[in-house]
């Protein structure tokens, strides 16, 4: 099966999950218990879209807890940068409908301690099946942050990663934490 076919299959599976709120809560509880989260001062989080594990509630908790929170802004040619936001009033929908911060406070990749990464699936070697644009793979090359994918367990799948695919340090699902 090609990566594109796996993406399509996993997106269909994700859309059929009935108890996402309970799964999201379990994912968040596991994340909050980790030393890499507790020690992180600056966290870059994706802003959930299209059935991804909920990071909007997670971002609200991080902001209330005093973390510096930033989110990605994607550009053409697979480029992505991080920008600070202090409230949801500082977010706007992108062309794709994904929330992103206004580009007023750039956060250099080397100042980020933890990056929460989205995707359509993951494998047992710590690689994520992204959406095919390479945005995160290129960004992760520029940061020394801990990288953590948030996924639903049923999206664990076998696929062969490519040389440009960057493995994650940790993957958290509603049922497990995988460290690589």
């Amino acid at each position: 099966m090609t990566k594109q076919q796996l993406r399509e299959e996993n997106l269909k599976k994700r859309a059929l999950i009935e108890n996402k709120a309970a799964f999201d809560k379990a994912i968040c509880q596991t994340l909050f218990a980790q030393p890499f989260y507790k020690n992180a001062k600056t966290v870059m989080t994706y802003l959930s879209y299209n059935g991804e594990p909920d990071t909007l509630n997670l971002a609200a908790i991080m902001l209330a807890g005093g973390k510096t929170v930033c989110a990605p802004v994607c550009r053409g040619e697979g480029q992505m940068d991080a920008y600070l936001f202090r409230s949801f009033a500082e977010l706007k929908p992108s062309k794709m409908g994904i929330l992103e911060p206004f580009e007023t406070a750039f956060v250099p990749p080397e100042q980020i301690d933890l990056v929460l990464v989205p995707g359509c699936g993951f494998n047992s070697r710590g690689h994520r099946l992204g959406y095919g644009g390479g945005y995160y793979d290129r960004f992760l090359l520029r940061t020394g942050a801990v990288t953590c994918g948030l996924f639903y367990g049923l999206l664990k799948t076998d696929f062969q990663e490519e040389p440009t695919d960057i493995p994650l340090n940790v993957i958290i699902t509603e049922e497990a934490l995988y460290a690589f």
Side-chain angles (χ1 to χ4, degrees):
M1 201 178 274
T2 68
K3 277 186 160 183
Q4 184 55 39
Q5 290 169 322
L6 284 172
R7 277 184 199 99
E8 291 170 11
E9 183 177 296
N10 276 5
L11 289 173
K12 287 177 187 172
K13 284 183 195 177
R14 190 169 73 190
L16 296 174
I17 297 172
E18 293 182 6
N19 46 353
K20 283 184 184 178
F23 288 0
D24 292 345
K25 183 177 179 181
I27 290 168
C28 287
Q29 287 176 335
T30 300
L31 175 66
F32 293 153
Q34 303 312 308
F36 64 80
Y37 173 79
K38 291 177 182 177
N39 295 329
K41 291 180 176 73
T42 302
V43 179
M44 177 177 160
T45 183
Y46 68 94
L47 298 170
S48 50
Y49 173 79
N50 196 25
E52 294 169 333
D54 178 24
T55 58
L56 298 176
N57 185 48
L58 181 60
I61 293 168
M62 289 189 290
L63 288 167
K67 299 250 185 231
T68 299
V69 181
C70 56
V73 173
C74 295
R75 306 181 189 302
E77 303 296 319
Q79 295 302 311
M80 183 171 81
D81 288 312
Y83 286 87
L84 181 73
F85 69 98
R86 291 172 289 274
S87 75
F88 290 104
E90 296 178 7
L91 301 175
K92 61 180 174 44
S94 69
K95 292 178 190 173
M96 297 288 297
I98 301 169
L99 290 176
E100 63 183 22
F102 292 105
E103 297 177 40
T104 54
F106 175 76
V107 179
E110 61 273 8
Q111 290 182 9
I112 300 170
D113 302 308
L114 172 61
V115 179
L116 300 180
V117 184
C120 302
F122 65 99
N123 68 19
S124 59
R125 295 176 297 281
H127 285 84
R128 62 186 269 281
L129 180 63
Y131 294 98
Y135 289 90
Y136 274 88
D137 292 318
R138 287 181 191 91
F139 183 84
L140 295 179
L141 288 172
R142 298 168 39 212
T143 182
V146 172
T147 56
C148 178
L150 306 179
F151 296 94
Y152 298 117
L154 64 84
L155 300 181
K156 185 175 182 183
T157 187
D158 189 35
F159 62 90
Q160 185 58 48
E161 57 272 2
E162 297 171 15
T164 55
D165 292 341
I166 304 300
L168 301 176
N169 299 119
V170 178
I171 291 173
I172 297 175
T173 71
E174 72 282 0
E175 52 198 22
L177 180 143
Y178 304 90
F180 304 98

